[in-house]
Amino acid sequence: VVRLELSQALPDLAARLAAIAGLEILSSDANGARLRLGESAQAHAQLLQRLLQAGLPVSGFIVEHQSLQDSYLSRVAEAKGAAPAKATP
């Protein structure tokens, strides 16, 4: 999962992201988004390159690492159509 932050708000961000192949939009608003794509560093680098080429004012590109338990809870919640829960330490 990658958290994308923009230096300026883009009301059409979701539509612009939807035009990028191979990208799953987990959430978005005019100021940024959370995205899912391949987990490799190469996939992240290619996505960042595509975002910049699309003219998005990227100010932050943060890879969020999930614990195995958080990942499992997220997948189960998605399968049930609910919001993912966070594991407690």
Side-chain angles (χ1 to χ4, degrees), residues 18-53:
I20 298 174
L23 188 61
E24 180 183 353
I25 303 168
L26 301 175
S27 63
S28 72
D29 61 27
N31 298 304
R34 289 185 71 240
L35 312 168
R36 181 178 293 147
L37 68 154
E39 292 297 320
S40 72
Q42 182 178 4
H44 295 151
Q46 289 172 348
L47 173 61
L48 180 56
Q49 183 178 22
R50 286 187 281 167
L51 294 170
L52 294 173
Q53 287 173 342

Side-chain angles (χ1 to χ4, degrees), residues 1 24 26 36-39 66-85:
V1 175
E24 180 183 353
L26 301 175
R36 181 178 293 147
L37 68 154
E39 292 297 320
Q66 289 185 321
S67 70
L68 181 59
Q69 184 175 12
D70 284 340
S71 180
Y72 170 78
L73 292 173
S74 178
R75 299 283 178 172
V76 169
E78 287 172 9
K80 293 181 178 181

